[in-house]
Amino acid sequence: MSVEQSFAEHRGLVFSVAYRILGSATDAEDVVQEAWLRWSGVDRANVAAPRGYLARIAANLAVDRLRAEQARRETYYGPWLPEPILTEHDPATDAAAADSVSLAMLVVLETLSPLERAVFVLNEVFAFSHAEIAVALERSEAAVRQAAHRAREHVQARRPRFHPDPVSTQQAVERFFAAAAGGDLNALMELLAPDVTVWSDGGGKVRASRAPVTGAKKVAAWLSTWSTRPYEGVSYEEMSFRITEINGTPGLVIIAPDRVLGILTVELDDDGRIAGVHAVTNPDKLMAITEGQVHPVAVGEAAH
């Protein structure tokens, strides 16, 4: 097997590890390129397990990038949300893999330290042992176990408790879109949980709420007006909409004649009501959606 073929076999793993650690498809692609440069120069006779070797490279490169990025994210204009990607659902894929790439989960992972995030991703998502992670991240096994315990407790306390099937989520997205597009305040109120929150990431570059909007009445009022005025120079009549899988769950892509305007994904509570909405409209974060219209990313590690 050539060096190109061996890397191509594990390219999806490299991207998947890096994306879950970084929450950025653009940065994850840069990690893929850096990993390729390292892989192409290594003596592969000394690499017993290419999968583990490349996962180690991906994790270390991603952790370094995340540490360098943290200060910028702390001063970001408004809520910082991950860069969304289009995904493909494989029925054979464990539901946990889809959950691990959801915007809601990536937001939770953003609250971990870089080390905790890398350990959680490698252990919980990709089933690397603590011993393997210790070697990969050049930490003691005891330190890795402690980081894994802290990360697991932190994530369990903050992750969504209810994981509806894709059909239920798609139906909720369809009802939500119909009510918002029609400006139907009563229908929106029926769909929203009392403590629903909307996080809107425009990055200070397009119109978006700088602070989260919380509470059914406020959210419904905010959403019911979105189809009544142009958005960034595009009227509602000029927009088109596509319900597709975004980060492992059905979501809405909002499209102008010349560009993607944004995406929406929702979280449901155990009563099937919408408990959270993540809206990404920052143009810098929509490249993966634009380019992925033709080539969506698989939820698991095998593709990309």
Side-chain angles (χ1 to χ4, degrees), residues 35-85:
W36 158 247
L37 291 175
R38 295 195 182 190
W39 178 250
S40 61
V42 75
D43 182 356
R44 288 185 296 134
N46 296 325
V47 179
R51 178 179 183 270
Y53 184 86
L54 285 168
R56 181 176 70 192
I57 290 177
N60 278 295
L61 289 172
V63 166
D64 288 344
R65 278 180 171 266
L66 185 59
R67 286 180 175 141
E69 182 73 6
Q70 277 187 317
R72 191 175 72 86
R73 292 186 184 182
E74 289 172 358
T75 59
Y76 191 77
Y77 186 95
W80 187 95
L81 294 180
E83 183 181 345
I85 56 175

Side-chain angles (χ1 to χ4, degrees), residues 57-293:
I57 290 177
N60 278 295
L61 289 172
V63 166
D64 288 344
R65 278 180 171 266
L66 185 59
R67 286 180 175 141
E69 182 73 6
Q70 277 187 317
R72 191 175 72 86
R73 292 186 184 182
E74 289 172 358
T75 59
Y76 191 77
Y77 186 95
W80 187 95
L81 294 180
E83 183 181 345
I85 56 175
L86 293 180
T87 52
E88 294 175 324
H89 178 67
D90 179 356
T93 299
D94 191 312
D99 177 54
S100 73
V101 80
S102 71
L103 292 185
M105 174 58 79
L106 292 175
V107 167
V108 173
L109 295 184
E110 191 68 16
T111 62
L112 300 177
S113 72
L115 174 62
E116 290 168 347
R117 187 164 181 168
V119 169
F120 182 87
V121 167
L122 291 174
N123 183 235
E124 296 289 326
V125 182
F126 297 99
F128 283 90
S129 69
H130 293 128
E132 290 172 318
I133 297 170
V135 172
L137 301 180
E138 298 181 341
R139 297 289 195 280
S140 69
E141 189 171 341
V144 167
R145 287 184 181 277
Q146 290 175 355
H149 178 72
R150 290 194 304 270
R152 194 178 304 112
E153 284 196 335
H154 188 91
V155 170
Q156 287 176 349
R158 290 164 177 79
R159 75 192 307 171
R161 299 290 195 275
F162 181 61
H163 304 288
D165 62 89
V167 173
S168 297
T169 302
Q170 177 159 335
Q171 290 173 345
V173 171
E174 291 170 349
R175 292 194 302 270
F176 172 75
F177 167 61
D184 191 335
L185 194 63
N186 291 329
L188 281 169
M189 288 296 293
E190 291 177 1
L191 293 170
L192 300 174
D195 57 350
V196 61
T197 298
V198 174
W199 293 269
S200 182
D201 179 349
K205 301 190 174 185
V206 295
R207 192 175 79 226
S209 177
R210 187 170 184 180
V213 180
T214 301
K217 289 184 178 180
K218 289 182 179 179
V219 169
W222 185 73
L223 290 167
S224 65
T225 63
W226 77 283
S227 64
T228 62
R229 55 176 174 159
Y231 182 77
E232 298 301 314
V234 182
S235 69
Y236 177 72
E237 291 72 24
E238 294 177 288
M239 298 177 190
S240 59
F241 306 88
R242 177 184 172 194
I243 294 178
T244 188
E245 188 172 297
I246 300 170
N247 287 74
T249 187
L252 182 72
V253 182
I254 306 168
I255 307 167
D258 60 343
R259 65 192 187 278
V260 174
L261 289 173
I263 65 93
L264 292 172
T265 65
V266 303
E267 301 170 47
L268 304 185
D269 65 14
D270 53 7
D271 293 319
R273 294 174 301 182
I274 294 172
V277 179
H278 293 99
V280 179
T281 55
N282 182 344
D284 294 344
K285 293 188 176 183
L286 296 173
M287 290 303 297
I289 296 292
T290 301
E291 296 170 355
Q293 295 280 0

